[in-house]
């Protein structure tokens, strides 16, 4: 069996480096985690949450899936949100999409002709959620072609998933209870490493004014 020795070697070097910089780092971290942020992002290997925002272990609670989708009935994602909000009391939930997302591309290719093609494998069911985003935004997307359309779909997906986070019973309850909780929609550009705030975010105070 291949034991991926290189990864264990990397790990030892990494732990040594951290301990050298801060000898109490792991001891402090093992006592508790108190992150301020929940990151909901894409599983894409080019979009690692901590590294992009330069945060150390312990600073961001993370959920990732293909195309950063928040589905109302996804117990995995909902459990992460609940733990983050109710137990960890995070102050920010960040839904972060990225340009060049393969999940978005696959969903767009399926609907290019304007007709849903047959679902032939498991992931097609998941991508159905992205097809919904395209349907909800049909009018805007009608005007766009090629890269512009692809980029906009990546953004619209984030905007939609922010709405889904806001509509969860967990976030609703937290807001009703007066929690200081803001939901953000961001997009990451894999071509230059830069994050952009889509400014679709909602925070408690805005919610109260509505
Ligand atoms: Co992606």
């Amino acid at each position: 069996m291949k034991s991926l020795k290189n990864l264990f070697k990397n790990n030892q070097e990494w732990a040594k480096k951290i301990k050298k910089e801060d000898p109490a780092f792991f001891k402090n971290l093992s006592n508790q985690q108190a992150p301020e942020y929940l990151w909901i992002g894409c599983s894409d290997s080019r979009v690692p949450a901590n590294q992009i925002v330069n945060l150390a272990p312990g600073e961001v609670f993370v959920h990732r899936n293909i195309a950063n989708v928040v589905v109302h009935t996804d117990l995995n994602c909902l459990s992460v949100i609940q733990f983050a909000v109710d137990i960890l009391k995070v102050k920010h939930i960040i839904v972060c999409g990225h340009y060049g997302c393969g999940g978005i591309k696959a969903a767009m290719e399926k609907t290019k002709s304007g007709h849903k093609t047959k679902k032939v494998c498991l992931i097609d069911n998941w991508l159905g959620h992205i097809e919904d985003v395209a349907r909800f935004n049909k009018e805007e997307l009608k005007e766009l072609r090629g890269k512009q359309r692809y980029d906009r779909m990546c953004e619209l997906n984030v905007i939609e998933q922010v709405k889904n986070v806001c509509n969860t019973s967990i976030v609703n309850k937290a807001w009703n209870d007066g929690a200081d909780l803001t939901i953000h929609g961001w997009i990451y550009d894999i071509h230059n490493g830069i994050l952009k705030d889509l400014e679709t975010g909602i925070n408690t105070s805005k919610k109260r004014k509505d």
Side-chain angles (χ1 to χ4, degrees):
M1 189 182 78
K2 292 211 169 145
S3 58
L4 299 175
K5 278 186 186 140
N6 55 329
L7 298 188
F8 285 92
K9 191 169 166 277
N10 286 355
N11 166 254
Q12 291 200 355
E13 283 164 9
W14 171 78
K16 207 162 112 186
K17 185 172 156 271
I18 301 255
K19 274 190 270 186
K20 202 174 155 197
E21 287 163 9
D22 178 2
F25 183 84
F26 290 111
K27 190 172 176 289
N28 292 341
L29 206 57
S30 61
N31 291 333
Q32 67 166 95
Q33 61 162 342
E36 275 195 26
Y37 317 98
L38 164 61
W39 175 282
I40 299 175
C42 183
S43 298
D44 193 306
S45 63
R46 297 166 296 180
V47 196
N50 285 64
Q51 276 155 290
I52 287 174
V53 283
N54 200 18
L55 288 177
E59 296 192 83
V60 55
F61 199 62
V62 176
H63 177 79
R64 289 167 70 181
N65 62 38
I66 291 171
N68 43 273
V69 176
V70 177
V71 181
H72 298 302
T73 51
D74 176 5
L75 290 180
N76 184 352
C77 184
L78 292 175
S79 301
V80 171
I81 296 175
Q82 187 185 1
F83 191 81
V85 171
D86 290 351
I87 311 296
L88 298 173
K89 312 262 184 231
V90 296
K91 294 198 165 47
H92 303 273
I93 299 178
I94 299 154
V95 176
C96 186
H98 67 104
Y99 295 122
C101 183
I104 305 275
K105 190 173 184 206
M108 286 175 73
E109 280 170 358
K110 271 159 56 56
T111 50
K112 206 155 37 183
S113 60
H115 301 284
K116 280 197 180 187
T117 50
K118 255 194 220 159
K119 289 185 167 57
V120 291
C121 63
L122 183 66
I123 194 174
D124 290 340
N125 298 290
W126 187 253
L127 295 177
H129 296 295
I130 319 259
E131 292 174 46
D132 291 342
V133 174
R135 201 177 67 247
F136 299 154
N137 296 280
K138 211 162 54 185
E139 286 306 305
E140 182 181 345
L141 290 166
K142 207 164 64 183
E143 312 296 325
L144 304 175
R145 297 283 173 276
K147 186 178 179 300
Q148 252 192 330
R149 184 183 165 93
Y150 183 16
D151 286 351
R152 188 58 184 151
M153 256 308 285
C154 294
E155 294 174 357
L156 289 170
N157 180 49
V158 170
I159 294 164
E160 195 61 36
Q161 307 315 324
V162 165
K163 284 186 210 159
N164 289 346
V165 172
C166 293
N167 285 328
T168 59
S169 56
I170 306 145
V171 169
N172 268 286
K173 183 177 177 298
W175 277 336
N176 281 336
D177 292 347
D180 174 17
L181 179 65
T182 308
I183 320 300
H184 306 262
W186 294 357
I187 193 138
Y188 175 74
D189 194 334
I190 51 171
H191 303 98
N192 61 15
I194 299 299
L195 273 174
K196 184 168 81 182
D197 189 342
L198 292 172
E199 286 169 13
T200 63
I202 298 181
N203 66 28
T204 326
S205 53
K206 269 191 208 158
K207 185 87 183 167
R208 278 184 186 146
K209 269 181 230 155
D210 287 346

